[in-house]
C-alpha cells in the first residue's frame, strides 16, 4: 500500500491530557497541549470540558488544528478538561472511535481518554455482554467505563481500584467526572503519564513537552499502578497495585516521544544521542558524511558522528506536508512516494561515502528506496546504521506494528536485509548497547526485540 511505503514505521496509539484549573480557559489550554502531543496521533482529536454541572465534548477526525476552531473552543466552558490525540489504523472507524469517550453514569457524566491496549479485551467484553452491556465502539476504553460504573457502589476510589484490577495490558488513562480529574497508569508503567502544576492548578499529560508548552512545572511521573485524583481539595493519590516489575515501552525513547520530553527520569534527546554513540562504538564505519533520516534519526546521528569525529549534515530533506490524505500515485508512479517524503541534497552526497542513521527498520521498503535514491544522486557508498535492535515481533500494547510476516527482521538475517535494501553495510545497535544508552537494563518492555511479552498476550494469539 502507498501508506506503508511512505510511512514504513511503527505508529503510536495516542496522547492524553487533562487539566484542573478553575478560572482558566481550560479548553484552550488543552488545545495547546494537544498541539504539543500531535506527534503521538494525527488521525483524530478531541476535548471534553466540565463546568461542575455538565460535560461538553468536541471531537473529530483530523489534526488538532483541523478539528477545533475559535467557536468550538469558546463553546467548551468549564474548569476541568481532558483531551486526546489518536493514531487509528486505516478503515478502523475514525468518527466512532474518536476520544474522549463521554458517557452517562449513575452519578453523572464521565469523559475518558486512553493510551495503550488491553490484552484481555475479548474476555472482558464477553463478561460484560453476558450482563446486558451493549458496546457502541471498538474502543478498549468503553470497557473501562463499564467496569468503573459497575463497581460504583462503594464510591469512586473503590470503583477505580476494582476496575483497574480487572484490566490486563497497557494503559495510561486520563478521565474526569463532573468535578474531578483522574490519572491512572497501569501496574507495569508501559505507557508514560506525568503530573504537573500550573499556577496552583494541576495538569496530566503523556509527555512533559505538553507541560513545557503551557509553562507548567513538572512535578513527577505518575507511578506504575498509581491513581491520581485532583479536585477542589487538591491532589491526592494511591496505589492499586504493588507489582515490582516495570515495563515502560522502550520505543518511547527510540521513536515515539518528542526529544524535549523526559520520561521516568530519562531525557529522550540524551538517550537518543547515547544510542548513536553506542552504535558508533559497536559498528564504526569509514564515511565522509553522516546523514540522519529525519526527524527521529537526528539525535542518534549526532551521537554517532560526534563519537567518531565524522562530518554531520542534514542531507535528507523532509517534506512535512505529506499526510494520510495525500492522493496515492498510480502504480507506475510508486517510486515517487519516498522521494516526495525524503529528498537528498545532491551536492552533499555525490562522490561521498555516506552513513545514514535511522531509528529502526520495520518492513524495509523505505530504507531500500532511500539507499537507491542516494546511489542515484551519486553516493559512492551507502552505509545504513540503525540505533535500535532488529524488530522481530509485533506489539500488542497499543503500538501499530505489522504482522510478524511483514517484519523484515523476523524473516531475514542482517546480511539478507542488507542485500534487500542495497546498502554497502548494515548495522543495528545491540540490545546490551541499548541498555547502556538507557543506563539500566531493568524497567523496559522490549517485546518487539525479544518476544518476551511481560504484560501478557491477547487470547487469540496465545
Amino acid at each position: 500500500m502507498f501508506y506503508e511505503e511512505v510511512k514504513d514505521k511503527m505508529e503510536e496509539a495516542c496522547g492524553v491530557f487533562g487539566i484542573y484549573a478553575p478560572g482558566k480557559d481550560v479548553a484552550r489550554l488543552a488545545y495547546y497541549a494537544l498541539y504539543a502531543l500531535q506527534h503521538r496521533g494525527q488521525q483524530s482529536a478531541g476535548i471534553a470540558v466540565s463546568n461542575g454541572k455538565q460535560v461538553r465534548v468536541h471531537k473529530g477526525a483530523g489534526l488538532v488544528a483541523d478539528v477545533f476552531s475559535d467557536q468550538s473552543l469558546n463553546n467548551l466552558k468549564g474548569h476541568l478538561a481532558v483531551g486526546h490525540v489518536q493514531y487509528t489504523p486505516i478503515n478502523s472507524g475514525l468518527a466512532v472511535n474518536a476520544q474522549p469517550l463521554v458517557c452517562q453514569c449513575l452519578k453523572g457524566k464521565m469523559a475518558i481518554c486512553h493510551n495503550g491496549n488491553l490484552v484481555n479485551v475479548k474476555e472482558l467484553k464477553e463478561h460484560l455482554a453476558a450482563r446486558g452491556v451493549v458496546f457502541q465502539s471498538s474502543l478498549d476504553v468503553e470497557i473501562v467505563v463499564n467496569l468503573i460504573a459497575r463497581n460504583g457502589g462503594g464510591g469512586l476510589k473503590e470503583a477505580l481500584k476494582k476496575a483497574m484490577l480487572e484490566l490486563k495490558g497497557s494503559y495510561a488513562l486520563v478521565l474526569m467526572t463532573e468535578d474531578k480529574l483522574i490519572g491512572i497508569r497501569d501496574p507495569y508503567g508501559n505507557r508514560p503519564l506525568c503530573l504537573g502544576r500550573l499556577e496552583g492548578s494541576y495538569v496530566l499529560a503523556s509527555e512533559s513537552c505538553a507541560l513545557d508548552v503551557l509553562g507548567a512545572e513538572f512535578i513527577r511521573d505518575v507511578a506504575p499502578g498509581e491513581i491520581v485524583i485532583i479536585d477542589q481539595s487538591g491532589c491526592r493519590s494511591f496505589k492499586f497495585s504493588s507489582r515490582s516489575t516495570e515495563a515502560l515501552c522502550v520505543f518511547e525513547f527510540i521513536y515515539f516521544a518528542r526529544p524535549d520530553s523526559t520520561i521516568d527520569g530519562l531525557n529522550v534527546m540524551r538517550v537518543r544521542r547515547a544510542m548513536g554513540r553506542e552504535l558508533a562504538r559497536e559498528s564504526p564505519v569509514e564515511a565522509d558524511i553522516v546523514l540522519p533520516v529525519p526527524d527521529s534519526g537526528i539525535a542518534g546521528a549526532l551521537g554517532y558522528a560526534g563519537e567518531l569525529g565524522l562530518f554531520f549534515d542534514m542531507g535528507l530533506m523532509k517534506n512535512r506536508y505529506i499526510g494520510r490524505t495525500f492522493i496515492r500515485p498510480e502504480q507506475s508512479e510508486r517510486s515517487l512516494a519516498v522521494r516526495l517524503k525524503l529528498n537528498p541534497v545532491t551536492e552533499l552526497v555525490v562522490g561521498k561515502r555516506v552513513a545514514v542513521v535511522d531509528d529502526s527498520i520495520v518492513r524495509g521498503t523505505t530504507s531500500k528506496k532511500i539507499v537507491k535514491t542516494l546511489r542515484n544522486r551519486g553516493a559512492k557508498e551507502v552505509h545504513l546504521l540503525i540505533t535500535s535492535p532488529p524488530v522481530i515481533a509485533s506489539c500488542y500494547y497499543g503500538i501499530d506494528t505489522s504482522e510478524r510476516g511483514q517484519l523484515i527482521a523476523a524473516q531475514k538475517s542482517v546480511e539478507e536485509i542488507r542485500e534487500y535494501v542495497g546498502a554497502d553495510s548494515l548495522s543495528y545497535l545491540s540490545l546490551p548497547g541499548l541498555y547502556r544508552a538507557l543506563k539500566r537494563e531493568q524497567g523496559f518492555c522490549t517485546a518487539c526485540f525479544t518476544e518476551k511479552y511481560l504484560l501478557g498476550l491477547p487470547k487469540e494469539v496465545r
Side-chain angles (χ1 to χ4, degrees):
M1 294 176 63
F2 171 73
Y3 168 71
E4 293 175 346
E5 292 183 8
V6 175
K7 293 209 71 172
D8 182 16
K9 290 288 183 183
M10 296 167 75
E11 291 292 342
E12 176 59 280
C14 53
V16 296
F17 177 79
I19 180 168
Y20 185 99
K24 293 183 171 60
D25 188 348
V26 292
R28 214 163 281 270
L29 291 172
Y31 171 80
Y32 296 136
L34 293 184
Y35 242 119
L37 297 172
Q38 185 75 88
H39 60 286
R40 299 186 72 89
Q42 300 87 47
Q43 279 63 59
S44 67
I47 295 172
V49 172
S50 173
N51 60 9
K53 297 179 179 179
Q54 62 180 168
V55 174
R56 292 185 176 181
V57 64
H58 183 86
K59 58 185 178 179
L63 299 173
V64 173
D66 299 325
V67 173
F68 296 98
S69 63
D70 278 339
Q71 182 176 347
S72 63
L73 291 171
N74 289 336
N75 290 336
L76 297 173
K77 298 297 184 183
H79 64 279
L80 69 157
V82 295
H84 190 266
V85 290
Q86 181 167 259
Y87 161 77
T88 307
I90 295 172
N91 300 326
S92 62
L94 287 172
V96 174
N97 290 324
Q99 298 183 46
L101 178 67
V102 178
C103 60
Q104 181 71 45
C105 300
L106 186 62
K107 296 182 180 179
K109 280 191 173 182
M110 179 184 296
I112 185 166
C113 305
H114 175 214
N115 178 24
N117 194 58
L118 304 179
V119 298
N120 62 336
V121 169
K122 184 177 177 63
E123 297 93 321
L124 290 174
K125 270 197 171 183
E126 290 173 352
H127 171 78
L128 291 168
R131 286 153 180 77
V133 174
V134 177
F135 295 97
Q136 305 295 322
S137 73
S138 62
L139 294 172
D140 289 1
V141 75
E142 192 173 0
I143 294 172
V144 179
V145 168
N146 276 283
L147 291 175
I148 294 172
R150 286 178 173 268
N151 288 297
L156 180 62
K157 179 177 177 179
E158 194 63 22
L160 292 170
K161 182 177 180 179
K162 287 182 177 179
M164 295 308 111
L165 290 174
E166 292 190 60
L167 305 179
K168 294 180 181 178
S170 169
Y171 54 90
L173 299 167
V174 172
L175 60 145
M176 69 176 188
T177 63
E178 291 171 345
D179 61 353
K180 290 178 172 58
L181 175 66
I182 301 160
I184 309 173
R185 198 172 177 194
D186 75 67
Y188 289 91
N190 187 251
R191 295 281 148 234
L193 187 65
C194 63
L195 173 68
R197 184 182 291 110
L198 178 63
E199 299 174 355
S201 303
Y202 290 95
V203 294
L204 293 161
S206 289
E207 292 183 38
S208 62
C209 64
L211 308 185
D212 296 338
V213 165
L214 300 182
E217 172 195 0
F218 175 84
I219 298 175
R220 62 179 177 86
D221 292 285
V222 176
E226 182 181 21
I227 297 176
V228 176
I229 301 177
I230 301 163
D231 58 19
Q232 62 181 0
S233 301
C235 178
R236 58 195 184 279
S237 69
F238 64 93
K239 294 292 287 287
F240 68 89
S241 172
S242 57
R243 185 183 298 280
S244 59
T245 302
E246 296 182 11
L248 171 63
C249 175
V250 76
F251 247 89
E252 293 288 348
F253 299 100
I254 294 169
Y255 176 63
F256 298 137
R258 261 179 47 163
D260 51 335
S261 288
T262 296
I263 300 173
D264 287 352
L266 296 171
N267 175 260
V268 176
M269 184 69 165
R270 285 181 178 272
V271 171
R272 288 180 184 168
R273 285 203 182 198
M275 289 190 290
R277 290 194 296 270
E278 290 296 335
L279 182 58
R281 293 164 189 155
E282 290 182 354
S283 305
V285 298
E286 294 184 0
D288 301 307
I289 186 171
V290 176
L291 308 181
V293 176
D295 289 318
S296 54
I298 294 174
L302 284 167
Y304 190 92
E307 181 67 20
L308 297 177
L310 298 174
F311 179 67
F312 168 94
D313 209 331
M314 296 295 295
L316 289 170
M317 296 295 103
K318 182 177 180 180
N319 186 330
R320 302 180 189 280
Y321 301 97
I322 292 181
R324 249 172 212 280
T325 57
F326 183 79
I327 298 171
R328 299 178 182 180
E330 296 297 325
Q331 186 67 37
S332 61
E333 300 172 337
R334 287 296 173 91
S335 60
L336 287 171
V338 172
R339 294 205 305 273
L340 285 166
K341 181 83 184 261
L342 294 169
N343 190 45
V345 179
T346 302
E347 286 74 11
L348 289 177
V349 302
V350 65
K352 302 287 182 61
R353 298 170 298 173
V354 180
V356 180
V357 179
D358 203 357
D359 62 273
S360 60
I361 298 177
V362 179
R363 300 179 184 90
T365 52
T366 296
S367 299
K368 183 175 184 176
K369 288 184 170 63
I370 289 173
V371 171
K372 182 179 179 180
T373 301
L374 287 168
R375 291 198 187 283
N376 290 341
R377 296 298 179 88
K380 182 180 178 181
E381 297 175 8
V382 181
H383 302 274
L384 190 55
L385 300 147
I386 307 301
T387 56
S388 66
V391 177
I392 63 170
S394 297
C395 177
Y396 300 98
Y397 305 141
I399 306 304
D400 179 39
T401 58
S402 303
E403 295 295 325
R404 182 184 173 89
Q406 294 181 312
L407 298 172
I408 192 168
Q411 311 301 319
K412 298 178 183 292
S413 67
V414 173
E415 176 58 21
E416 288 172 334
I417 298 171
R418 183 201 67 76
E419 290 180 359
Y420 172 78
V421 300
D424 291 280
S425 70
L426 168 62
S427 300
Y428 287 89
L429 180 63
S430 69
L431 189 59
L434 177 58
Y435 288 143
R436 287 194 296 271
L438 292 162
K439 297 188 182 302
R440 62 177 189 256
E441 293 187 17
Q442 305 299 319
F444 300 101
C445 175
T446 57
C448 54
F449 306 134
T450 64
E451 295 187 279
K452 295 179 180 178
Y453 294 98
L454 299 179
L455 284 71
L457 286 169
K459 187 176 182 180
E460 56 270 24
V461 296
R462 289 174 198 163

